[in-house]
Amino acid sequence: MKKIRFIAILLTICFFYSGCTKDNPIILKEVEDVCEQMDDIKFMEYCYSNFDVNSDGKVSMIEAAAVKEIYVGKKSITSLNGIEYFTNLEELECSANKLTSLDVRKNVKLTELFCNENNLTALDVSKNVKLTVLQLRYNEITNIDISKNIALTDLSCYNNKLTSLDVRKNVALTNLSCSSNNLTSLDVSKNVKLEYLYCRKNPLEIIYINNIHKDNIPHNWELPSDVKIEYK
């Protein structure tokens, strides 16, 4: 009975602080000050300045859970450890920093993520199924799995080191910018809503396009001039 009661209390804490569901529980270590989990002074200072609502010198889990947006671009930040406590975060702008890693797996309510111009080599967005905008240009990413991100409408990943990019499940995409990578093929045959496509400066050998564009490729599509086109 005591064990059952303990689990119930733990789940209550999870729901209260994280806004999680039974299907996607987020359990975090309970702390008095979420900033103590951070290891970058600039990120810490930003959080104290913006989220210490009651001015007690701490950012509580309740205060962190109330945050919807974080804008920390161009601050020379090297780490966003502690971001996991902002479980109701919907928009994160952390471009033009010095990040080598970024863990947003606990930020399941994210709809917009901007992490351009960092030193990222990988990014896991498999838990961020509500994402509609994902921008990660000018990094060092070699592979990204966006198969779970079916709500995506805007994907900007140019100037990385991608050798493949599978967007076949991202049927809501209206904007895809993947120029300046190492792609040899690209299949956008399922992306019939695509209005803007930029895929130049890739060693593309073939691109697959839906039959509806056979006689009328959208004028906002910029394709390599010598690429082979196959219609599906």
Side-chain angles (χ1 to χ4, degrees):
M1 181 63 70
K2 288 183 178 181
K3 184 177 180 180
I4 294 174
R5 184 176 299 173
F6 171 76
I7 293 174
I9 293 172
L10 187 62
L11 287 174
T12 300
I13 292 172
C14 168
F15 284 119
F16 182 72
Y17 287 121
S18 307
C20 59
T21 66
K22 289 190 298 182
D23 297 325
N24 194 15
I26 302 173
I27 300 177
L28 296 167
K29 179 179 69 174
E30 190 169 2
V31 296
E32 290 186 5
D33 182 4
V34 302
C35 292
E36 292 180 352
Q37 308 304 306
M38 300 171 185
D39 50 18
D40 186 282
I41 189 66
K42 294 182 178 68
F43 183 40
M44 191 183 300
E45 289 173 348
Y46 171 86
C47 291
Y48 279 134
S49 297
N50 291 276
F51 308 133
D52 179 14
V53 179
N54 62 3
S55 300
D56 65 349
K58 303 175 183 178
V59 177
S60 68
M61 292 179 72
I62 294 176
E63 288 171 323
V67 176
K68 303 286 188 181
E69 302 169 341
I70 289 180
Y71 302 104
V72 288
K74 298 182 180 179
K75 293 184 179 293
S76 297
I77 290 173
T78 60
S79 170
L80 284 182
N81 286 343
I83 195 75
E84 65 271 16
Y85 281 91
F86 298 88
T87 51
N88 289 308
L89 192 63
E90 295 176 1
E91 183 175 345
L92 174 59
E93 165 59 90
C94 57
S95 299
N97 282 295
K98 299 178 181 179
L99 300 174
T100 56
S101 64
L102 178 61
D103 188 350
V104 290
R105 290 174 296 174
K106 298 279 179 66
N107 307 101
V108 296
K109 294 190 177 181
L110 271 179
T111 60
E112 299 184 12
L113 174 57
F114 306 88
C115 54
N116 307 303
E117 299 177 60
N118 279 285
N119 299 310
L120 301 174
T121 57
L123 182 65
D124 185 349
V125 289
S126 60
K127 303 296 183 183
N128 310 103
V129 297
K130 294 185 177 182
L131 276 178
T132 59
V133 177
L134 176 58
Q135 295 192 4
L136 47 96
R137 55 185 181 266
Y138 289 99
N139 278 284
E140 304 291 327
I141 295 173
T142 57
N143 180 60
I144 187 163
D145 181 359
I146 51 172
S147 59
K148 301 288 195 302
N149 311 103
I150 59 174
L152 267 183
T153 60
D154 184 342
L155 174 61
S156 181
C157 56
Y158 65 80
N159 279 90
N160 275 277
K161 295 183 178 180
L162 295 172
T163 57
S164 64
L165 182 63
D166 189 346
V167 293
R168 288 174 296 177
K169 292 186 178 179
N170 308 101
V171 296
L173 271 181
T174 59
N175 180 34
L176 172 59
S177 181
C178 57
S179 298
S180 300
N181 279 285
N182 298 315
L183 304 176
T184 57
S185 66
L186 182 64
D187 188 343
V188 291
S189 62
K190 304 294 184 183
N191 311 101
V192 295
K193 295 182 179 180
L194 204 57
E195 298 174 8
Y196 300 89
L197 172 60
Y198 307 97
C199 58
R200 291 180 176 175
K201 295 185 180 180
N202 279 290
L204 278 174
E205 298 174 1
I206 188 168
I207 182 168
Y208 299 94
I209 297 175
N210 193 283
N211 275 318
I212 64 172
H213 298 308
K214 193 166 187 178
D215 299 317
N216 186 25
I217 293 179
H219 69 279
N220 288 320
W221 285 22
E222 293 186 3
L223 312 179
S225 58
D226 57 347
V227 69
K228 178 182 178 182
I229 298 176
E230 186 169 315
Y231 295 94
K232 288 185 176 182

